[in-house]
Amino acid sequence: MKCTRFCPAKVNLFLEVTGKRPNGYHELSTLFAKIDLGDRLTVDAALAKKTSITLQITGPQRTRIPANSHNLVCKAAQAFLDHYCLQARIHIKLDKHVPTGAGLGGGSSDAAGVLLSLCEIFHKDPMELLELSATLGADVPLFLYPQTFLKGEGIGEKLTPLQAAENLPHLLLIYPCTAVSTQQVFGRMHVPPAEDVLTNTAKLDKLIDAVRNGLPANEWGKLLFNRLEEYVLPYVPCVQEALSALTQANKGIGRMSGSGSTVFTLVGTKQHVQELAEKMQHTKRLVFPVSFYRGPADANYGDKSSSHG
């Protein structure tokens, strides 16, 4: 049986580091939002006497990731089979549009897409795989949920889906064609003082209210936050330059997503985001005018980039 699905990327509208566990993992308080930039995934699977997992990668970002068993989508397929004690022939085709090392969760979304596809093919409940999916990557569980907005806690695996208003801002993303290592970013990380964490998590509560009530983009803008910026921007000049250009062009609104390197801003209308995209054209950047992802009907299969180097 064959299953084709859209795998949306995400941005972190808010990201605070709230602590550090004895095992070295950092605890977070974050607000994830799925966007309609993403990859297209086709999984063809059937039970077999011997397991085989093959992967074919196409798309503009195909050269950035391995097309072998080291790819997270292959690991997800194997983990699914191991979990249910199945043997199967699985062929995966990945049309790759989301940049890697960009703070957009593309690999995690693709891995979740494999799990969701195999659940559909073999009639399993995806929610049974939340714990398993977290072993593949901290962001993978988020993409098993259908909701667009989720509050994340713990290392990002404790998720609370949120209701959102119909009228939401649009986004402009800039990827400065540089990957950032999440491991290196957290290696520089120092847990902030408790009073700073309390102040910022109060800001998160207000941002969640803005999502639920559909407040204007400028109301969201002053509530956006990412603690990891101070551990990326001084070390990766092209991310700093992209964020400065974006905030100057749009009323000071702009943040980095996740551990970088993508930066984003929020605008009120689709026309405005297109105009801003034209203004931000640059030979050393990819520019993506996007919206928040609302479901399969909104899937654009990644054909969003308006500029590339």
Side-chain angles (χ1 to χ4, degrees):
M1 180 179 171
K2 188 179 291 188
C3 179
T4 297
R5 68 189 324 109
F6 179 74
C7 301
K10 61 82 181 171
V11 294
N12 297 80
L13 297 174
F14 181 96
L15 198 164
E16 176 62 290
V17 177
T18 58
K20 188 175 182 180
R21 295 181 177 179
N23 63 6
Y25 284 96
H26 287 83
E27 295 198 333
L28 311 173
S29 182
T30 188
L31 179 57
F32 295 110
K34 297 172 190 172
I35 56 176
D36 65 355
L37 167 69
D39 301 326
R40 186 176 187 179
L41 182 76
T42 301
V43 177
D44 191 354
L47 294 176
K49 291 183 179 180
K50 184 179 179 181
T51 290
S52 67
I53 300 171
T54 55
L55 171 62
Q56 175 190 358
I57 304 178
T58 60
Q61 297 293 325
R62 65 187 180 279
T63 61
R64 302 293 186 94
I65 53 174
N68 55 37
S69 60
H70 296 290
N71 193 296
L72 196 57
V73 298
C74 294
K75 293 179 180 179
Q78 187 63 60
F80 177 92
L81 296 179
D82 292 345
H83 182 79
Y84 289 110
C85 299
L86 299 174
Q87 291 181 310
R89 170 198 53 75
I90 300 174
H91 179 67
I92 302 167
K93 183 177 179 181
L94 177 61
D95 187 22
K96 188 69 183 166
H97 292 260
V98 179
T100 58
L104 298 175
S108 295
S109 184
D110 297 337
V114 168
L115 296 178
L116 289 168
S117 297
L118 292 173
C119 282
E120 184 174 331
I121 292 169
F122 293 111
H123 308 293
K124 305 295 183 182
D125 180 1
M127 293 298 103
E128 294 177 356
L129 299 178
L130 285 173
E131 187 174 341
L132 168 71
S133 68
T135 67
L136 295 167
D139 286 348
V140 178
L142 125 85
F143 295 104
L144 292 182
Y145 286 85
Q147 288 87 356
T148 299
F149 297 89
L150 296 99
K151 181 181 179 181
E153 298 170 287
I155 61 170
E157 87 290 3
K158 297 177 183 176
L159 296 162
T160 305
L162 303 172
Q163 293 294 322
E166 287 297 319
N167 185 31
L168 296 172
H170 297 261
L171 306 92
L172 184 71
L173 277 56
I174 295 180
Y175 171 65
C177 296
T178 297
V180 169
S181 166
T182 300
Q183 186 176 2
Q184 289 181 8
V185 174
F186 278 100
R188 303 183 193 115
M189 178 77 219
H190 298 289
V191 177
E195 57 268 27
D196 288 1
V197 172
L198 284 172
T199 299
N200 283 321
T201 50
K203 192 182 292 187
L204 172 59
D205 292 337
K206 293 179 181 178
L207 181 56
I208 289 172
D209 285 340
V211 170
R212 286 174 170 156
N213 297 315
L215 297 184
N218 63 321
E219 292 293 319
W220 294 43
K222 58 191 178 185
L223 300 171
L224 303 176
F225 178 78
N226 188 339
R227 174 66 66 182
L228 300 184
E229 286 180 0
E230 61 190 274
Y231 301 101
V232 174
L233 301 183
Y235 303 92
V236 192
C238 63
V239 179
Q240 172 71 75
E241 291 163 8
L243 182 58
S244 295
L246 198 57
T247 54
Q248 288 173 17
N250 191 39
K251 305 174 184 176
I253 300 173
R255 284 293 176 213
M256 185 180 77
S257 179
S259 57
S261 58
T262 299
V263 298
F264 69 93
T265 192
L266 298 171
V267 296
T269 66
K270 191 170 184 178
Q271 180 181 350
H272 186 187
V273 81
Q274 293 291 347
E275 291 171 354
L276 192 58
E278 290 297 319
K279 186 184 298 185
M280 300 307 298
Q281 296 277 354
H282 195 290
T283 56
K284 294 183 180 179
R285 301 173 188 149
L286 289 173
V287 179
F288 299 99
V290 302
S291 301
F292 291 110
Y293 179 63
R294 289 296 205 172
D298 295 332
N300 200 289
Y301 298 124
D303 297 327
K304 289 272 180 181
S305 173
S306 64
S307 174
H308 61 84

